[in-house]
Amino acid sequence: MEVKITDDIKIGANNPCFIIAEVGQNHQGDIEIAKKLIKAAKEAGASCVKFQKTCLKEKFTKKYLERPYETSNSWGKTYGDHKRHLEFSESQYRELFKYAQEVGIPFTASAMDMVSFDFLVNLKVPFIKIGSGDSNNLLFLKYAASKMVPLIISTGMVDKTAVKTIYDIISAHHKSFCLLHCISAYPVPFEDCNLTVLQDYKNTFDVPVGYSGQEVGTAVGLAAVALGAKVLEKHITLDKSMKGTDHVCSLTPNEFKQLVRDVRVIEASLGTPIKKVVTSEIPCIDKLQKSLVMGCTKNKGEILYPGDVKIKVAEPKGLNALHFDDVIYKTLVYDKKEDEPLNEGDFC
Ligand SMILES: CC(=O)N[C@H](C=O)[C@@H](O)[C@H](O)[C@H](O)COP(=O)(O)O
Ligand SMILES: C=C(OP(=O)(O)O)C(=O)O
């Protein structure tokens, strides 16, 4: 199962896990911080950097925007003021898109509504993210599917039946999409991550699956990759003590770099399910693997009883110790001293 996003970006099958550095709104509404985060994502080795694009009056009702939002993470008295502070204009988006191109990292955003979706299509982002806030938004999902652009879709805040509905809606149009398991809490308690859902997704859906993690740290994301996540999304921040809802579940640039490095280690280490002896074990086999040796001195013609054969690290080596039962009750063809290796041809 492979989804081709662009000529350069392929997700699924044996492609490296596609790691999304989610800036979200960790830029604090400051384009210079946004640029620093784009650079940090590139330097950390992320596959892509992502923002969140919202047309406020499309996403929220008027009344909702007027709702008081007086928390330590708020940038205004009402939710509308808060969100207006955090929302970049279309021209700022163009500037960030261009900046990411200069830095050399793919740039995209989640479209939080249809207007934002159209804007991102025009901006020519490689794919559009649909966040968990729209996992129950069938109208939007149908609209997005009909536009025939690659999608990465998060599935927080809904159950498996809804995820099947999302799958059906998009796949009625195309298969250029991935589904991300996600739990929408900031931060997600570890016991709520339910990472093994990934296995169920893999068994149910014929598109690449991944994980969008809102828990603290890197361990759960790494486990997700070990469980087969082909996309991994984590928030990135310059400083976790900054104001904003998502900093607590974000990674610093250094932590993000470690995440990328460790994901690549895990991918390299997953290897094959066929248990076999590998070349790198040969030095240890030579040095420490045990073989069959004489447990006492015996002469040609004598029978090797169980107590007569020992298993030791020997020099030179005898037969692999796994052959112990093949040797017992055989007759020696040569005289053998204690500790001498036993090899094929030494008995019949
Ligand atoms: C579900 C969803 O959209 N979640 C996003 C992605 O993870 C978040 O980044 C929210 O935008 C953020 O937590 C909202 O915080 P506030 O409400 O303080 O602006
Ligand atoms: C809400 C988003 O993502 P998720 O649901 O994966 O946290 C998003 O990408 O904007």
Side-chain angles (χ1 to χ4, degrees):
M1 269 170 299
E2 179 179 90
V3 164
K4 186 177 168 200
I5 304 282
T6 63
D7 285 346
D8 297 331
I9 304 176
K10 295 183 185 79
I11 297 179
N14 288 326
N15 296 293
C17 177
F18 189 77
I19 304 174
I20 302 174
E22 159 73 318
V23 171
Q25 42 189 44
N26 283 350
H27 50 68
Q28 323 281 93
D30 179 333
I31 196 152
E32 292 313 316
I33 297 180
K35 286 182 181 172
K36 282 191 183 137
L37 284 163
I38 291 174
K39 192 108 194 291
K42 168 69 183 177
E43 285 170 1
S47 316
C48 145
V49 63
K50 190 184 89 56
F51 286 69
Q52 293 173 11
K53 184 79 193 93
T54 310
C55 171
L56 294 184
K57 71 177 188 9
E58 278 291 309
K59 174 165 174 174
F60 301 101
T61 64
K62 212 160 165 273
K63 268 248 165 333
Y64 194 94
L65 290 172
E66 285 162 4
R67 206 169 92 139
Y69 193 55
E70 299 195 57
T71 74
S72 53
N73 288 322
S74 169
W75 294 92
K77 282 202 159 28
T78 64
Y79 201 68
D81 290 342
H82 164 73
K83 283 296 189 190
R84 272 185 287 277
H85 173 85
L86 290 170
E87 191 58 35
F88 287 135
S89 67
E90 295 193 350
S91 76
Q92 284 175 313
Y93 259 89
R94 282 190 206 95
E95 186 178 335
L96 291 173
F97 182 75
K98 192 161 161 273
Y99 180 75
Q101 276 180 328
E102 282 159 24
V103 166
I105 183 166
F107 173 99
T108 192
S110 37
M112 298 294 202
D113 50 79
M114 291 184 202
V115 171
S116 301
F117 192 94
D118 288 345
F119 169 71
L120 292 170
V121 171
N122 286 332
L123 194 61
K124 298 202 168 27
V125 293
F127 68 91
I128 294 177
K129 166 86 188 288
I130 299 184
S132 299
D134 286 293
S135 56
N136 67 347
N137 188 346
L138 306 187
L139 286 181
F140 180 51
L141 288 161
K142 282 179 190 160
Y143 180 79
S146 73
K147 297 294 168 178
M148 306 301 283
V149 296
L151 301 171
I152 295 187
I153 304 171
S154 263
T155 57
M157 299 191 273
V158 290
D159 64 11
K160 176 82 182 288
T161 310
V163 180
K164 279 198 186 127
T165 304
I166 297 173
Y167 172 87
D168 289 341
I169 288 175
I170 312 295
S171 57
H173 292 264
H174 62 83
K175 283 282 178 62
S176 285
F177 70 104
C178 309
L179 289 172
L180 306 190
H181 170 48
C182 177
I183 300 291
S184 302
Y186 301 84
V188 187
F190 294 130
E191 331 54 272
D192 283 351
C193 290
N194 288 336
L195 264 199
T196 41
V197 161
L198 273 170
Q199 280 161 334
D200 182 45
Y201 277 20
K202 274 200 298 185
N203 293 336
T204 314
F205 304 114
D206 60 355
V207 293
V209 304
Y211 179 65
S212 174
Q214 256 88 226
E215 70 291 330
V216 170
T218 59
V220 176
L222 295 174
V225 174
L227 287 169
K230 297 296 181 183
V231 178
L232 178 64
E233 180 175 321
K234 281 291 291 179
H235 291 259
I236 188 168
T237 177
L238 293 181
D239 178 352
K240 287 185 212 181
S241 67
M242 278 177 166
K243 186 160 90 172
T245 307
D246 301 337
H247 294 286
V248 62
C249 62
S250 302
L251 302 178
T252 62
N254 255 343
E255 289 170 332
F256 211 98
K257 193 182 265 177
Q258 274 168 28
L259 174 80
V260 174
R261 184 200 62 196
D262 291 347
V263 165
R264 300 306 171 219
V265 169
I266 288 170
E267 288 175 320
S269 71
L270 286 175
T272 159
I274 298 158
K275 174 59 182 152
K276 58 181 182 183
V277 176
V278 296
T279 319
S280 60
E281 289 181 294
I282 290 171
C284 195
I285 289 174
D286 287 346
K287 187 178 153 195
L288 290 176
Q289 196 171 48
K290 292 182 174 172
S291 62
L292 300 182
V293 297
M294 291 297 296
C296 55
T297 299
K298 283 201 126 180
N299 295 323
K300 172 180 173 182
E302 288 191 89
I303 290 176
L304 290 167
Y305 293 105
D308 300 335
V309 179
K310 285 216 159 161
I311 293 177
K312 289 189 182 179
V313 178
E315 170 63 35
K317 283 196 178 306
L319 273 178
N320 189 309
L322 290 169
H323 292 294
F324 184 86
D325 289 340
D326 304 337
V327 173
I328 298 308
Y329 302 117
K330 297 278 162 59
T331 306
L332 274 178
V333 187
Y334 302 107
D335 293 347
K336 286 272 177 190
K337 292 210 170 61
E338 182 178 351
D339 257 6
E340 256 190 75
L342 269 167
N343 279 300
E344 229 160 318
D346 288 349
F347 50 83
C348 61

